[in-house]
């Protein structure tokens, strides 16, 4: 592994942490742990957004006692992005990689968490 590759991987991991934290703060927590509208698909009041949460954006109205849980779950969301970074190391441009990180942390991971 060359020095350039090591620096690239370290920079991408920092990007995962920073972009991941911002994405988790804005969208991720709300999609994963926010209240759902119409969880029952057979309900007449079913919303088209029933598969994700839709409250708690920007940690709005989050009890301060849940801040450690927010941080703990953010680490898993960011780790999801870093795991895949090993598979694409040296194969993607930085902008594409950071866009992927935003997508995974803000939507893919929270959706799966909300379902479980």
């Amino acid at each position: 592994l060359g020095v350039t590759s090591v620096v690239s991987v370290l920079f991408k991991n920092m990007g995962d942490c920073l972009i991941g934290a911002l994405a988790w703060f804005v969208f991720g927590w709300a999609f994963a742990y926010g209240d759902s509208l119409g969880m029952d698909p057979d309900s007449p009041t079913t919303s088209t957004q029933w598969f994700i949460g839709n409250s708690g954006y920007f940690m709005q109205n989050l009890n301060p006692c849940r801040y450690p849980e927010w941080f703990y779950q953010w680490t898993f969301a960011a780790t999801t992005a870093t795991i895949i970074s090993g598979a694409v190391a040296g194969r993607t441009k930085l902008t594409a990689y950071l866009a992927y990180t935003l997508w995974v942390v803000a939507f893919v991971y929270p959706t799966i968490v909300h379902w479980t």
Side-chain angles (χ1 to χ4, degrees):
L1 225 36
V3 174
T4 306
S5 296
V6 171
V7 171
S8 176
V9 168
L10 290 173
F11 187 75
K12 287 178 181 177
N13 284 341
M14 288 303 299
D16 285 340
C17 289
L18 297 175
I19 290 177
L22 184 61
W24 188 249
F25 171 73
V26 175
F27 299 109
W29 177 266
F31 288 168
Y33 295 102
D35 295 329
S36 296
L37 289 177
M39 279 300 290
D40 179 12
D42 298 324
S43 171
T45 61
T46 297
S47 168
T48 58
Q49 301 294 326
W50 66 272
F51 66 98
I52 59 174
N54 59 359
S55 65
Y57 299 100
F58 298 95
M59 294 173 55
Q60 186 178 12
N61 299 325
L62 182 64
N63 184 342
C65 293
R66 294 191 72 190
Y67 288 174
E69 181 183 358
W70 182 94
F71 180 79
Y72 183 71
Q73 291 300 326
W74 163 74
T75 60
F76 284 106
T79 300
T80 302
T82 60
I83 288 171
I84 300 171
S85 73
V88 299
R91 295 178 179 91
T92 60
K93 292 187 177 191
L94 181 61
T95 54
Y97 179 77
L98 295 178
Y100 145 80
T101 297
L102 180 66
W103 174 252
V104 167
V105 176
F107 185 74
V108 175
Y109 177 79
T111 302
I112 302 303
V113 167
H114 189 74
W115 292 349
T116 57

